[in-house]
Amino acid sequence: IAPFFRAFERMAELEVENERLRIADAKFTDIVGSSKAMKALRETIKTIAPSLQAVLILGETGTGKELVAGLIHELSGRTRGPLVTVNCAAIPRELFESELFGHEKGAFTGAISRKTGLMEQSHGGTLFLDEIGDLSLDNQGRILRAVEMGRFRRVGGVRELEADLRVVAATNKDLQVEMRHGRFREDLYH
């Protein structure tokens, strides 16, 4: 009987995978083009979306990195969770930690109430770090620990919080060059 049940389970898995691929084809209407490169991009998205691994999207400004991140999220097992987008280049260096991790009331002047950070808001979903190449080295280090461990503290907090999330990052910078010049952390890149 065991082989029958294994075959039945495998058939159910294949049905779920086929449905996921049918949905994927329907969601690709925003990616225009039929060139080899565009076909390869679609296949890459379909392949990596179900994974739990972090993803780095590289491309020039205006090439649709955010669109690709959204598709990766929608085709993943985290589609029921939120997709939280952070424009790393738009957040002032001094406020980044508070925005990403949140803060407790009284943690600094002006912190009149507790604030939930973007990592906490991403719990169960995807955190999209757009323009990660523009982060300062200090903030890169803060992100690294949180991404590796899945744990963080709000600014001014004493309790460690956990966030179950997938990180998708994007940049228009050549991170290999940035690492050679000491502007991007190699450990965060890997």
Side-chain angles (χ1 to χ4, degrees), residues 2-186:
F4 172 75
F5 284 119
R6 277 195 293 275
F8 186 74
E9 287 174 352
R10 182 66 180 139
M11 198 157 75
E13 289 171 2
L14 290 173
E15 286 175 2
V16 168
E17 180 67 9
N18 282 338
E19 182 60 24
R20 187 186 70 77
L21 292 173
R22 270 193 291 279
I23 291 169
D25 287 337
K27 291 189 184 276
F28 281 112
T29 56
D30 291 338
I31 295 184
V32 181
S34 58
S35 68
K36 270 183 157 180
M38 295 308 284
K39 288 177 183 176
L41 175 63
R42 287 183 190 96
E43 289 306 311
T44 300
I45 292 169
K46 286 180 191 177
T47 302
I48 64 173
S51 167
L52 298 176
Q53 295 297 313
V55 176
L56 177 62
I57 303 166
L58 304 172
E60 297 298 319
T61 300
T63 56
K65 296 182 296 291
E66 189 168 352
L67 173 64
V68 170
L71 285 169
I72 290 169
H73 172 73
E74 285 187 43
L75 298 175
S76 74
R78 296 179 171 274
T79 191
R80 288 190 177 114
L83 170 63
V84 177
T85 300
V86 182
N87 183 343
C88 297
I91 300 173
R93 180 180 185 166
E94 306 78 30
L95 298 178
F96 187 78
E97 189 174 16
S98 175
E99 287 295 314
L100 191 66
F101 304 127
H103 62 258
E104 296 291 343
K105 180 179 178 179
F108 51 85
T109 304
I112 57 173
S113 64
R114 174 187 284 174
K115 178 181 180 194
T116 302
L118 298 170
M119 277 194 72
E120 198 172 346
Q121 292 174 30
S122 302
H123 184 73
T126 304
L127 178 64
F128 176 48
L129 299 170
D130 196 14
E131 301 305 342
I132 195 168
D134 291 331
L135 280 180
S136 68
L137 286 171
D138 292 342
N139 286 330
Q140 289 175 34
R142 290 178 181 105
I143 282 182
L144 175 65
R145 182 183 181 284
V147 168
E148 281 181 335
M149 309 302 279
R151 295 188 307 264
F152 62 95
R153 283 193 180 117
R154 291 186 187 116
V155 176
V158 294
R159 191 171 58 106
E160 206 163 61
L161 304 171
E162 288 190 24
D164 173 27
L165 56 89
R166 180 184 195 180
V167 174
V168 176
T171 186
N172 62 4
K173 294 190 175 187
D174 184 338
L175 294 184
Q176 299 284 337
V177 171
E178 296 296 304
M179 285 186 293
R180 279 196 298 277
H181 289 94
R183 294 186 296 254
F184 198 83
R185 293 178 60 119
E186 190 171 343

